[in-house]
Amino acid sequence: MLAAFEGWNDACQSATNVIRHLLGRYEAREIRHISCDGYYDYQVSRPMLCRVTGRPRIIWPQTTFYEIALAPDLRIYAQLAPEPNYRWREYCRQSLHIADEFDVDRIVTLGSMYADCPHTRPLPIDVSHDLDECGRSCDCGANDGEDGYSGPVGIPTVLDDMAREQSFDTTSMWVSIPQYTGNDDCAPATLALLRRLGEEIGFDFDEGDLPSLADAWKAKASMLLRCSDQLADYVHHLEREWDRAEAARKAASADPTQAERLVREAEDFLKGL
Protein backbone atom coordinates (compact mmCIF):
# COMPACT_ATOMS: atom_id res chain seq x y z
CA MET A 1 0.00 0.00 0.00
CA LEU A 2 1.29 3.44 -0.96
CA ALA A 3 0.72 6.32 1.44
CA ALA A 4 1.25 10.04 0.79
CA PHE A 5 0.12 13.02 2.84
CA GLU A 6 -0.41 16.64 1.85
CA GLY A 7 1.35 19.33 3.88
CA TRP A 8 4.72 19.33 5.62
CA ASN A 9 5.76 16.02 4.03
CA ASP A 10 4.79 17.03 0.50
CA ALA A 11 6.92 19.81 -1.00
CA CYS A 12 5.47 20.93 -4.35
CA GLN A 13 2.79 18.24 -3.98
CA SER A 14 5.31 15.83 -5.50
CA ALA A 15 4.53 12.83 -3.29
CA THR A 16 0.75 13.06 -3.41
CA ASN A 17 0.94 13.71 -7.16
CA VAL A 18 2.43 10.23 -7.61
CA ILE A 19 -0.82 8.74 -6.33
CA ARG A 20 -2.94 11.22 -8.29
CA HIS A 21 -1.01 10.26 -11.42
CA LEU A 22 -1.70 6.56 -10.83
CA LEU A 23 -5.38 7.28 -10.22
CA GLY A 24 -5.51 9.13 -13.54
CA ARG A 25 -3.66 6.50 -15.60
CA TYR A 26 -5.10 3.26 -14.26
CA GLU A 27 -8.46 1.82 -13.32
CA ALA A 28 -9.07 2.75 -9.69
CA ARG A 29 -11.87 2.76 -7.17
CA GLU A 30 -12.39 4.12 -3.68
CA ILE A 31 -12.56 1.32 -1.13
CA ARG A 32 -12.42 2.94 2.31
CA HIS A 33 -12.39 6.31 4.08
CA ILE A 34 -11.28 7.62 7.45
CA SER A 35 -13.61 10.31 8.79
CA CYS A 36 -12.08 13.74 9.33
CA ASP A 37 -13.72 14.16 12.74
CA GLY A 38 -11.21 14.46 15.54
CA TYR A 39 -8.12 14.39 13.32
CA TYR A 40 -8.02 17.85 11.71
CA ASP A 41 -7.73 21.47 12.75
CA TYR A 42 -10.02 23.14 10.23
CA GLN A 43 -8.09 26.42 10.49
CA VAL A 44 -5.08 24.52 9.12
CA SER A 45 -6.75 22.00 6.80
CA ARG A 46 -9.72 24.07 5.75
CA PRO A 47 -12.88 22.63 4.19
CA MET A 48 -13.30 23.54 0.52
CA LEU A 49 -16.37 24.96 -1.18
CA CYS A 50 -17.13 23.55 -4.59
CA ARG A 51 -20.17 23.55 -6.84
CA VAL A 52 -21.76 20.38 -8.13
CA THR A 53 -24.33 20.97 -10.89
CA GLY A 54 -24.44 24.60 -9.78
CA ARG A 55 -25.15 23.85 -6.12
CA PRO A 56 -22.60 24.70 -3.39
CA ARG A 57 -21.12 21.82 -1.46
CA ILE A 58 -18.62 21.72 1.42
CA ILE A 59 -15.81 19.18 0.97
CA TRP A 60 -14.22 18.23 4.29
CA PRO A 61 -10.66 16.96 4.55
CA GLN A 62 -10.61 13.19 4.70
CA THR A 63 -8.48 10.13 4.08
CA THR A 64 -9.34 8.02 1.05
CA PHE A 65 -8.07 4.53 0.27
CA TYR A 66 -8.00 3.31 -3.32
CA GLU A 67 -7.55 0.04 -5.12
CA ILE A 68 -5.54 0.55 -8.31
CA ALA A 69 -5.42 -2.12 -11.03
CA LEU A 70 -1.98 -1.84 -12.65
CA ALA A 71 -2.51 -5.03 -14.67
CA PRO A 72 -5.07 -7.86 -14.75
CA ASP A 73 -3.00 -9.78 -12.20
CA LEU A 74 -1.46 -6.87 -10.27
CA ARG A 75 -3.29 -4.54 -7.89
CA ILE A 76 -1.97 -2.12 -5.33
CA TYR A 77 -3.64 0.05 -2.71
CA ALA A 78 -3.07 3.72 -1.99
CA GLN A 79 -3.80 6.05 0.91
CA LEU A 80 -4.16 9.75 0.13
CA ALA A 81 -4.88 12.43 2.74
CA PRO A 82 -3.89 15.75 4.27
CA GLU A 83 -1.51 15.16 7.16
CA PRO A 84 -3.74 14.93 10.26
CA ASN A 85 -3.27 17.47 13.06
CA TYR A 86 -4.32 15.33 16.02
CA ARG A 87 -4.31 11.74 17.38
CA TRP A 88 -1.64 10.36 15.10
CA ARG A 89 -1.39 7.01 16.87
CA GLU A 90 -5.11 6.34 16.57
CA TYR A 91 -5.05 7.53 12.95
CA CYS A 92 -2.22 5.15 12.08
CA ARG A 93 -3.94 2.28 13.87
CA GLN A 94 -7.01 2.85 11.70
CA SER A 95 -4.87 3.06 8.56
CA LEU A 96 -3.07 -0.20 9.33
CA HIS A 97 -6.33 -1.93 10.23
CA ILE A 98 -7.59 -1.11 6.72
CA ALA A 99 -4.29 -2.30 5.21
CA ASP A 100 -4.59 -5.57 7.14
CA GLU A 101 -8.20 -5.94 6.01
CA PHE A 102 -6.97 -6.07 2.40
CA ASP A 103 -4.05 -8.41 3.18
CA VAL A 104 -1.41 -5.75 2.59
CA ASP A 105 2.03 -6.90 3.72
CA ARG A 106 4.14 -3.88 2.71
CA ILE A 107 3.66 -0.17 3.38
CA VAL A 108 5.45 2.32 1.10
CA THR A 109 5.37 5.92 2.32
CA LEU A 110 6.18 8.74 -0.11
CA GLY A 111 7.50 12.20 0.76
CA SER A 112 9.15 15.24 -0.77
CA MET A 113 11.21 18.02 0.79
CA TYR A 114 13.08 21.19 -0.14
CA ALA A 115 16.86 20.88 -0.12
CA ASP A 116 20.07 22.42 -1.43
CA CYS A 117 20.26 20.60 -4.76
CA PRO A 118 20.50 21.84 -8.37
CA HIS A 119 17.68 21.38 -10.86
CA THR A 120 20.27 20.59 -13.55
CA ARG A 121 21.15 17.23 -11.97
CA PRO A 122 18.98 14.20 -11.11
CA LEU A 123 16.94 15.03 -8.04
CA PRO A 124 18.15 13.05 -5.01
CA ILE A 125 15.99 10.12 -3.94
CA ASP A 126 16.32 8.62 -0.47
CA VAL A 127 14.98 5.11 0.06
CA SER A 128 15.06 3.22 3.35
CA HIS A 129 13.69 -0.25 3.94
CA ASP A 130 12.17 -0.72 7.38
CA LEU A 131 13.75 1.46 10.08
CA ASP A 132 17.42 1.67 10.91
CA GLU A 133 18.95 -0.29 13.75
CA CYS A 134 18.15 2.53 16.20
CA GLY A 135 14.45 2.31 15.33
CA ARG A 136 14.37 5.51 13.27
CA SER A 137 13.48 6.18 9.69
CA CYS A 138 14.96 9.03 7.70
CA ASP A 139 12.11 11.52 7.41
CA CYS A 140 14.16 14.43 6.16
CA GLY A 141 15.47 13.11 2.85
CA ALA A 142 19.03 13.21 4.18
CA ASN A 143 21.34 10.27 3.72
CA ASP A 144 21.77 8.22 6.87
CA GLY A 145 25.13 8.88 8.39
CA GLU A 146 26.81 7.05 11.24
CA ASP A 147 24.30 8.44 13.71
CA GLY A 148 21.31 8.63 11.38
CA TYR A 149 18.73 11.41 11.39
CA SER A 150 17.49 13.02 14.59
CA GLY A 151 14.81 15.68 14.55
CA PRO A 152 11.14 16.39 13.82
CA VAL A 153 9.22 13.78 11.87
CA GLY A 154 5.96 13.69 10.01
CA ILE A 155 3.11 11.22 9.78
CA PRO A 156 4.96 8.97 7.25
CA THR A 157 7.61 8.09 9.84
CA VAL A 158 5.00 7.43 12.53
CA LEU A 159 3.08 5.20 10.11
CA ASP A 160 6.32 3.38 9.19
CA ASP A 161 7.18 2.85 12.85
CA MET A 162 3.77 1.51 13.83
CA ALA A 163 3.59 -0.65 10.69
CA ARG A 164 6.92 -2.23 11.54
CA GLU A 165 5.70 -2.97 15.07
CA GLN A 166 2.76 -4.80 13.51
CA SER A 167 5.08 -6.88 11.28
CA PHE A 168 4.45 -5.02 8.02
CA ASP A 169 7.43 -4.56 5.72
CA THR A 170 8.04 -0.82 5.28
CA THR A 171 9.75 1.31 2.67
CA SER A 172 10.22 5.08 2.92
CA MET A 173 10.90 7.07 -0.25
CA TRP A 174 11.77 10.78 -0.27
CA VAL A 175 12.70 13.10 -3.12
CA SER A 176 14.58 16.37 -2.67
CA ILE A 177 13.51 19.50 -4.57
CA PRO A 178 15.57 22.67 -5.16
CA GLN A 179 14.35 25.22 -2.66
CA TYR A 180 14.92 28.14 -5.06
CA THR A 181 12.32 26.95 -7.58
CA GLY A 182 9.19 27.87 -5.63
CA ASN A 183 6.24 25.70 -4.62
CA ASP A 184 4.56 24.99 -7.95
CA ASP A 185 4.05 21.33 -8.88
CA CYS A 186 7.45 19.75 -9.55
CA ALA A 187 6.99 17.16 -12.30
CA PRO A 188 10.65 15.99 -12.20
CA ALA A 189 10.26 15.07 -8.52
CA THR A 190 7.00 13.21 -9.12
CA LEU A 191 8.57 11.42 -12.09
CA ALA A 192 11.67 10.49 -10.06
CA LEU A 193 9.52 9.02 -7.28
CA LEU A 194 7.35 7.14 -9.79
CA ARG A 195 10.37 5.61 -11.53
CA ARG A 196 12.02 4.60 -8.27
CA LEU A 197 8.73 3.12 -7.08
CA GLY A 198 8.62 1.09 -10.28
CA GLU A 199 12.09 -0.25 -9.54
CA GLU A 200 11.02 -1.19 -6.02
CA ILE A 201 7.97 -3.21 -7.09
CA GLY A 202 9.26 -4.38 -10.48
CA PHE A 203 6.72 -2.58 -12.68
CA ASP A 204 7.04 -0.12 -15.58
CA PHE A 205 4.51 2.61 -14.90
CA ASP A 206 2.73 4.57 -17.61
CA GLU A 207 4.42 7.98 -17.26
CA GLY A 208 1.86 9.83 -19.35
CA ASP A 209 2.80 13.48 -19.83
CA LEU A 210 5.14 13.62 -16.82
CA PRO A 211 8.34 13.62 -18.95
CA SER A 212 7.18 16.62 -21.01
CA LEU A 213 5.99 18.43 -17.89
CA ALA A 214 9.37 17.73 -16.29
CA ASP A 215 11.18 19.26 -19.29
CA ALA A 216 8.97 22.35 -19.08
CA TRP A 217 9.66 22.68 -15.34
CA LYS A 218 13.43 22.46 -15.91
CA ALA A 219 13.25 25.06 -18.67
CA LYS A 220 11.37 27.42 -16.34
CA ALA A 221 13.93 26.86 -13.58
CA SER A 222 16.79 27.57 -16.00
CA MET A 223 15.07 30.82 -16.96
CA LEU A 224 15.38 31.94 -13.33
CA LEU A 225 19.16 31.62 -13.58
CA ARG A 226 19.29 33.89 -16.62
CA CYS A 227 17.46 36.55 -14.64
CA SER A 228 19.77 36.51 -11.62
CA ASP A 229 23.56 36.25 -11.62
CA GLN A 230 23.51 35.63 -7.87
CA LEU A 231 21.16 32.69 -8.26
CA ALA A 232 23.23 31.36 -11.17
CA ASP A 233 26.38 31.43 -9.01
CA TYR A 234 24.53 29.62 -6.23
CA VAL A 235 23.31 26.88 -8.60
CA HIS A 236 26.80 26.48 -10.09
CA HIS A 237 28.09 25.96 -6.55
CA LEU A 238 25.43 23.29 -5.96
CA GLU A 239 26.40 21.62 -9.25
CA ARG A 240 30.04 21.43 -8.20
CA GLU A 241 29.06 19.94 -4.82
CA TRP A 242 26.76 17.42 -6.53
CA ASP A 243 29.45 16.41 -9.03
CA ARG A 244 32.02 15.99 -6.25
CA ALA A 245 29.67 13.83 -4.22
CA GLU A 246 28.80 11.73 -7.26
CA ALA A 247 32.49 11.20 -8.06
CA ALA A 248 33.10 10.12 -4.46
CA ARG A 249 30.19 7.67 -4.61
CA LYS A 250 31.51 6.12 -7.82
CA ALA A 251 35.02 5.83 -6.36
CA ALA A 252 33.68 4.19 -3.21
CA SER A 253 31.59 1.81 -5.31
CA ALA A 254 34.64 0.81 -7.35
CA ASP A 255 36.71 0.32 -4.18
CA PRO A 256 34.46 -0.40 -1.15
CA THR A 257 37.42 -0.18 1.24
CA GLN A 258 38.18 3.38 0.12
CA ALA A 259 35.18 4.80 1.97
CA GLU A 260 36.28 3.07 5.17
CA ARG A 261 39.81 4.42 4.75
CA LEU A 262 38.52 7.95 4.30
CA VAL A 263 36.42 7.66 7.46
CA ARG A 264 39.38 6.34 9.47
CA GLU A 265 41.68 9.07 8.16
CA ALA A 266 39.13 11.74 9.06
CA GLU A 267 38.70 10.28 12.56
CA ASP A 268 42.48 10.15 13.11
CA PHE A 269 42.77 13.74 11.94
CA LEU A 270 40.03 14.93 14.31
CA LYS A 271 41.56 13.03 17.23
CA GLY A 272 44.85 14.84 16.63
CA LEU A 273 43.29 18.29 16.91
Side-chain angles (χ1 to χ4, degrees):
M1 184 177 76
L2 311 180
F5 301 90
E6 300 168 359
W8 189 72
N9 316 277
D10 191 30
C12 296
Q13 302 73 239
S14 298
T16 52
N17 277 346
V18 171
I19 293 179
R20 294 188 186 98
H21 176 81
L22 296 178
L23 296 176
R25 305 301 297 186
Y26 297 95
E27 180 182 348
R29 65 187 182 96
E30 297 182 13
I31 54 173
R32 290 290 186 278
H33 297 89
I34 293 179
S35 170
C36 57
D37 293 341
Y39 291 122
Y40 291 102
D41 177 347
Y42 296 136
Q43 290 182 321
V44 176
S45 300
R46 290 187 177 273
M48 300 293 292
L49 176 66
C50 69
R51 295 188 177 275
V52 179
T53 63
R55 300 181 62 182
R57 179 184 176 189
I58 299 293
I59 304 297
W60 297 88
Q62 70 171 355
T63 299
T64 304
F65 293 82
Y66 300 91
E67 181 186 62
I68 303 173
L70 300 180
D73 58 346
L74 179 59
R75 295 173 182 271
I76 62 173
Y77 299 96
Q79 175 180 5
L80 183 63
E83 182 178 50
N85 304 106
Y86 308 117
R87 299 167 56 207
W88 282 13
R89 292 186 183 91
E90 176 60 28
Y91 178 87
C92 289
R93 277 193 287 268
Q94 279 195 260
S95 299
L96 295 174
H97 176 76
I98 292 172
D100 189 56
E101 181 183 348
F102 288 94
D103 295 323
V104 167
D105 58 8
R106 183 181 183 187
I107 305 293
V108 180
T109 55
L110 306 176
S112 53
M113 62 165 293
Y114 294 111
D116 292 325
C117 57
H119 73 279
T120 53
R121 300 293 187 270
L123 298 182
I125 293 277
D126 240 12
V127 179
S128 60
H129 298 279
D130 294 325
L131 301 183
D132 66 21
E133 66 228 10
C134 298
R136 286 173 280 104
S137 175
C138 178
D139 203 11
C140 65
N143 293 324
D144 286 337
E146 182 179 345
D147 298 323
Y149 169 73
S150 296
V153 298
I155 194 70
T157 296
V158 177
L159 183 62
D160 284 337
D161 185 42
M162 294 183 65
R164 181 171 176 266
E165 290 177 354
Q166 296 187 28
S167 300
F168 288 92
D169 292 332
T170 63
T171 300
S172 175
M173 301 178 57
W174 285 76
V175 63
S176 295
I177 298 172
Q179 59 185 357
Y180 58 85
T181 56
N183 59 3
D184 290 340
D185 286 5
C186 180
T190 297
L191 182 60
L193 276 177
L194 183 71
R195 287 175 174 172
R196 188 56 186 270
L197 177 63
E199 294 174 8
E200 288 291 318
I201 69 173
F203 185 80
D204 291 327
F205 288 108
D206 180 353
E207 297 179 354
D209 59 353
L210 279 177
S212 60
L213 292 174
D215 289 341
W217 184 93
K218 292 176 183 177
K220 182 179 178 181
S222 295
M223 180 72 71
L224 295 175
L225 272 59
R226 292 194 287 271
C227 299
S228 171
D229 292 339
Q230 184 177 4
L231 179 58
D233 290 342
Y234 170 66
V235 173
H236 293 329
H237 167 74
L238 294 179
E239 290 172 337
R240 290 190 295 270
E241 292 296 317
W242 193 98
D243 292 342
R244 258 197 298 268
E246 182 64 16
R249 281 192 292 269
K250 289 181 178 178
S253 176
D255 181 6
T257 62
Q258 182 176 357
E260 296 180 8
R261 284 201 308 271
L262 291 174
V263 170
R264 286 196 299 270
E265 290 173 3
E267 289 176 346
D268 292 340
F269 173 75
L270 292 174
K271 290 177 182 177
L273 292 177

